[in-house]
Amino acid sequence: MIGRAGGSRRDVLLIVFSRVFRNFAAGFLNVAVGLYMYTELHYSFPLIGSVFGAASLAAPFLNLVFGLTSDVYGRKKMLVIGNSLLVFSTIMLLLSSSYYLIVLASMLGSFGLAGGTVGGGVGGYVAPMQNALLAEKAPPGERTRYFSLASVAGGVSSSVGAFLTNIPDYRTLFLIGLVISALATVIVLFISESQSRKPAREVFRFRSGRNIAKFSVTGALNGLGQGLVTPYFSVLFKSNYHISNGLIGDIMGAATLVTAFSLYFTPYLTKKLGFVNLISVTRGVSTLLLGLFPFIPGIVLASADYFCFTALRMLSLPAQQSLMMGMVTENERGAATSVNQASRLIPSSAGTFIAGYLFADSFELPFLVSVPVNLFNIVFYNLFFRKDERKVEF
């Protein structure tokens, strides 16, 4: 996939390798932190919701800061700083079990962030820099293939990381997370800096404002729908099916692996069906499976349902990223991604807070609320992008 990149091949590889290491850490941290609060610290669902909700509230702010400043001061520099925050957050988990430090660590590391590890993993605020750098290095007609490559590689590493939750000692897991996240940071130092800069005086001026607004609306609906359920899956498997931490890690790791390999087909399906048709079909079926999840008896069938709706929900992600990069000006790509992420994460944090209380009373209710929100998301993709997708090279 990267053979045609010419002089940018090295940078593409470094971006992908950095994502691989970061997502490897994300694979087990996203599972372990929730289980750590539930099994080791004996937090209630509302208390866990407050931690994950705080992380979701901090994420939009971090996304905006990193996205806007990366277009002005350099995407490589801001990516190094962003990766470093995950290092500091794992240090906090190692140092103390204080509720307030866990909240701060979750805010800096975005633990429990709705969206899963394939879509960005722990610390989703690095996505604006990663995506903008990748889009800059990739030929326009090959962007979807490059985004698919990065997503597949990141997803596979996430799934491998999730299997590490078979290690029973949380401190050991956090220590491994510290080392791996530090490696992800060091790799970025060898990437050549972005040549596309935006004047500081124009940081809040957007030539692509109309298109950014469209992606913000769909992002908001997606964030709310996922925030209601996604951060809680590791805890739900534990509380409802009473299985071991290791088996939970195996299930979530396998689901991430299935999802990662499904992304390999995104470029082909995008060319065959078109972006809007692809997202309508895959997310429509995914939403149906999500609504069925709380009514499925037994861990085997529940796991199969989880595998399917996770893979289908994420299948269109590389095409969506490519479309957005093609619809905004080059020196606003970091800002566009950050605004899109912020618009997704603010409603997501509200959903996560609310779901903590809903789950305390009803296992089914958060899923039933999530279904119509996800369906509206599909409707708006059709309204906003059916004409625009014809103008963009994927």
Side-chain angles (χ1 to χ4, degrees):
M1 288 186 182
I2 56 177
R4 303 178 188 177
S8 299
R9 184 176 186 272
R10 173 181 171 274
D11 284 334
V12 170
L13 284 172
L14 290 172
I15 294 167
V16 171
F17 279 131
S18 177
R19 178 175 288 192
V20 163
F21 279 105
R22 187 180 182 88
N23 277 30
F24 181 82
F28 59 84
L29 288 173
N30 258 335
V31 179
V33 171
L35 293 172
Y36 174 61
M37 291 188 288
Y38 185 73
T39 62
E40 189 86 3
L41 303 180
H42 308 291
Y43 285 5
S44 65
F45 271 101
L47 200 58
I48 294 172
S50 71
V51 176
F52 287 160
S56 295
L57 280 175
F61 172 74
L62 291 171
N63 266 278
L64 287 172
V65 168
F66 280 101
L68 294 172
T69 55
S70 69
D71 284 338
V72 175
Y73 300 109
R75 291 156 185 166
K76 172 185 171 179
K77 292 176 184 176
M78 299 311 297
L79 184 54
V80 169
I81 296 172
N83 276 348
S84 299
L85 292 186
L86 181 56
V87 176
F88 289 122
S89 66
T90 52
I91 290 174
M92 290 181 195
L93 292 173
L94 283 165
L95 289 178
S96 174
S97 60
S98 162
Y99 169 78
Y100 297 104
L101 271 183
I102 290 175
V103 169
L104 182 58
S106 296
M107 292 171 71
L108 293 179
S110 296
F111 301 133
L113 199 65
T117 53
V118 177
V122 172
Y125 46 80
V126 302
M129 292 84 75
Q130 286 183 338
N131 290 347
L133 280 170
L134 197 57
E136 178 184 323
K137 310 299 181 182
E142 299 292 320
R143 270 197 305 264
T144 301
R145 298 180 68 190
Y146 278 70
F147 279 115
S148 292
L149 169 65
S151 296
V152 169
V156 171
S157 65
S158 295
S159 67
V160 175
F163 291 126
L164 287 188
T165 50
N166 282 284
I167 297 173
D169 182 56
Y170 290 109
R171 186 172 181 82
T172 301
L173 286 172
F174 297 151
L175 184 60
I176 295 172
L178 172 62
V179 174
I180 298 300
S181 58
L183 284 173
T185 305
V186 171
I187 289 172
V188 178
L189 297 174
F190 297 94
I191 299 173
S192 59
E193 180 58 275
S194 169
Q195 299 304 309
S196 177
R197 298 288 184 91
K198 185 176 183 179
R201 65 181 180 276
E202 295 183 7
V203 67
F204 294 112
R205 297 178 185 175
F206 300 111
R207 297 177 183 176
S208 310
R210 182 180 177 84
N211 290 331
I212 292 173
K214 291 179 180 179
F215 282 102
S216 296
V217 172
T218 55
L221 289 168
N222 182 50
L224 179 59
Q226 297 306 314
L228 286 163
V229 293
T230 302
Y232 293 96
F233 270 111
S234 63
V235 180
L236 292 174
F237 278 124
K238 187 72 175 181
S239 63
N240 287 278
Y241 299 103
H242 310 291
I243 56 178
S244 67
N245 289 4
L247 183 55
I248 293 171
D250 291 344
I251 291 170
M252 301 190 79
T256 304
L257 193 63
V258 171
T259 301
F261 281 114
S262 72
L263 298 177
Y264 183 82
F265 300 99
T266 303
Y268 170 78
L269 292 173
T270 303
K271 291 184 189 300
K272 193 77 174 175
L273 301 176
F275 168 71
V276 173
N277 288 336
L278 175 65
I279 205 166
S280 297
V281 172
T282 56
R283 293 200 178 176
V285 177
S286 174
T287 299
L288 174 63
L289 294 173
L290 181 68
L292 291 174
F293 182 84
F295 304 102
I296 295 177
I299 187 60
V300 174
L301 291 177
S303 299
D305 183 85
Y306 178 71
F307 289 174
C308 292
F309 80 67
T310 301
L312 287 169
R313 179 175 63 85
M314 299 299 295
L315 185 59
S316 59
L317 179 62
Q320 185 265 341
Q321 293 171 333
S322 178
L323 179 66
M324 182 165 61
M325 293 298 98
M327 290 179 63
V328 300
T329 57
E330 186 176 353
N331 65 358
E332 291 181 347
R333 284 171 173 168
T337 306
S338 67
V339 171
N340 176 252
Q341 288 276 70
S343 69
R344 180 177 66 85
L345 293 170
I346 292 172
S348 173
S349 66
T352 301
F353 271 121
I354 294 168
Y357 293 94
L358 295 180
F359 275 123
D361 293 327
S362 169
F363 177 46
E364 299 84 7
L365 189 55
F367 289 91
L368 296 178
V369 174
S370 178
V371 166
V373 175
N374 285 309
L375 291 176
F376 274 115
N377 184 35
I378 297 170
V379 170
F380 277 97
Y381 267 110
N382 277 269
L383 290 174
F384 288 157
F385 303 116
R386 188 161 290 278
K387 292 182 180 179
D388 289 331
E389 68 171 313
R390 300 169 189 167
K391 308 172 187 176
V392 177
E393 289 185 275
F394 285 90

